[in-house]
Amino acid sequence: MDKIIQHLQQSGPILIASHINPDGDAIGSSLAIGLALESLGKHVTFYTESPIPAVYRFLPESDRMVEEINAENQFQTAIILDCGDIYRVGDAASIIEKIPTVINIDHHITNTKFGNYSLIDTTACATAEIVYRLIKKMNVPINNVIAISIYTGIMTDTGSFRFSNTNKDSFAICEEMIALGADPYLVAQYVYGTYSLGRIKLLNRAIDSIEISKNGKLSVMTVTEEMFDETNTKPDDVDGFINYAKGIEDVKIAALILEQHKNNGNKGTSKTYHVSLRSDETVDVGEIATFYGGGGHSTAAGFSIESPLAGIKSKIFNLANKL
Ligand SMILES: [Mn+2]
């Protein structure tokens, strides 16, 4: 951590980037570290390949995220947050890799330790927790915008303090953030209380799609492109739906299969699926996701796969035999 701070103190323009389909932790930790560095007089650019989901646009300064970067030579340092590997940032990975110094800050157990410096703590409940410690160590005062960003990262990554990564520090840091100006009711209202009607209707279809293995220990939820079309929604509206499949009595593993269209340039589009996995603490879904070329944590992980839906489902249901 000291070497990273020393480096940042003397660095020129800094790029802050996180993963595609950013969640509350990706956005919150990006804003927190970027704004802290700005208060030290640094020139900071925030990058995200996918647009910020509507529920996170309340975050002050989130409108500063740009969806395109060019000429890598304008940055001296890139800070990559909440990404198990550098390709999670999306298409810009090839540009970012060429930035002279890459700093990798993350809490995923499958992190590949890419970059010149890495700050990985798999016991941290969120990347925002690691960023909090870094900001403290840098002696940057936490203003209310940084406080809201850190609070949102921790609140969302712990599923509102319900997931197994929730610990004493999650509460302690959030308590401090509230004292510094984060309003828990306001954050909860924006993150959970602003569902569009389309999203509720999509949730209805997603819940209706749930299938359970014979032994009752594995559940599968499927969300298709057709469901998005019918409800006028987008993939980021699915955020959190998997918890309904996971909350079913006796379920040890829940899977959410998300159908997506992949753009193949002039060859048109093809179907691809993203599979999210959640487990109670007794099964390591990070291992399963890694086997299929993805990654994540032991209780929350995911991978992408291009094969017919029926084949994916049978692969997933086979996992139930070992439960
Ligand atoms: Mn995270």
Side-chain angles (χ1 to χ4, degrees):
M1 190 180 280
D2 291 336
K3 278 188 183 153
I4 292 175
I5 294 171
Q6 275 169 22
H7 173 82
L8 290 172
Q9 276 163 346
Q10 49 80 38
S11 176
I14 299 169
L15 178 74
I16 311 280
S18 190
H19 53 81
I20 47 170
N21 301 321
D23 55 16
D25 190 27
I27 301 163
S29 56
S30 294
L31 290 172
I33 188 64
L35 296 171
L37 288 166
E38 252 180 14
S39 74
L40 294 175
K42 297 291 159 188
H43 184 279
V44 171
T45 302
F46 297 95
Y47 169 80
T48 166
E49 181 178 298
S50 347
I52 302 281
V55 295
Y56 297 120
R57 283 189 212 135
F58 75 96
L59 283 168
E61 314 271 344
S62 61
D63 56 347
R64 290 184 47 196
M65 299 257 176
V66 295
E67 286 168 30
E68 244 171 83
I69 44 167
N70 38 44
E72 62 270 16
N73 54 15
Q74 65 178 301
F75 301 109
Q76 257 181 31
T77 304
I79 303 179
I80 314 298
L81 298 139
D82 207 39
C83 293
D85 67 68
I86 195 163
Y87 306 104
R88 286 278 293 141
V89 298
D91 293 338
S94 54
I95 297 178
I96 293 171
E97 275 179 324
K98 294 184 195 125
I99 294 174
T101 302
V102 174
I103 300 174
N104 163 11
I105 303 179
D106 186 34
H107 66 134
H108 293 91
I109 199 153
T110 53
N111 192 289
T112 59
K113 304 194 171 62
F114 65 87
N116 306 82
Y117 298 102
S118 46
L119 188 55
I120 296 153
D121 180 358
T122 57
T123 67
C125 66
T127 298
E129 176 182 333
I130 307 172
V131 164
Y132 162 84
R133 297 189 199 291
L134 185 60
I135 293 174
K136 282 280 188 183
K137 198 89 192 268
M138 292 195 301
N139 277 320
V140 173
I142 295 179
N143 63 24
N144 74 316
V145 179
I146 296 175
I148 292 167
S149 304
I150 291 173
Y151 180 88
T152 303
I154 294 178
M155 187 202 78
T156 54
D157 249 32
T158 58
S160 299
F161 314 101
R162 289 174 298 145
F163 298 160
S164 59
N165 57 343
T166 310
N167 55 35
K168 205 163 119 276
D169 291 346
S170 327
F171 286 101
I173 297 167
C174 284
E175 183 196 22
E176 189 182 339
M177 296 307 104
I178 292 166
L180 292 168
D183 178 343
Y185 177 66
L186 181 114
V187 176
Q189 267 305 103
Y190 279 110
V191 175
Y192 303 116
T194 52
Y195 277 30
S196 65
L197 178 61
R199 192 173 180 207
I200 295 290
K201 291 193 180 285
L202 180 70
L203 175 62
N204 181 34
R205 283 167 174 75
I207 287 176
D208 209 32
S209 79
I210 293 175
E211 298 165 79
I212 294 276
S213 63
K214 283 201 185 76
N215 62 11
K217 293 179 180 172
L218 184 142
S219 62
V220 177
M221 178 186 262
T222 309
V223 177
T224 63
E225 289 260 315
E226 196 183 2
M227 295 181 191
F228 290 125
D229 292 344
E230 284 167 359
T231 55
N232 196 20
T233 49
K234 299 184 302 301
D236 64 58
D237 287 308
V238 170
D239 195 29
F241 283 12
I242 193 169
N243 297 316
Y244 290 94
K246 192 194 157 220
I248 300 166
E249 195 179 21
D250 297 332
V251 162
K252 289 180 173 295
I253 296 183
L256 168 73
I257 307 175
L258 184 63
E259 185 187 297
Q260 290 173 321
H261 272 111
K262 193 176 147 196
N263 202 330
N264 299 318
N266 51 15
K267 288 188 199 126
T269 57
S270 61
K271 267 184 195 173
T272 168
Y273 294 90
H274 187 265
V275 180
S276 303
L277 298 169
R278 297 290 182 274
S279 79
D280 63 357
E281 290 196 283
T282 64
V283 195
D284 185 348
V285 288
E287 257 173 40
I288 298 169
T290 304
F291 178 79
Y292 287 108
H297 308 281
S298 61
T299 55
F303 62 93
S304 291
I305 185 166
E306 262 179 85
S307 80
L309 182 58
I312 299 169
K313 275 194 188 172
S314 76
K315 276 192 187 83
I316 294 170
F317 277 116
N318 275 337
L319 299 171
N321 301 330
K322 292 184 200 136
L323 299 175

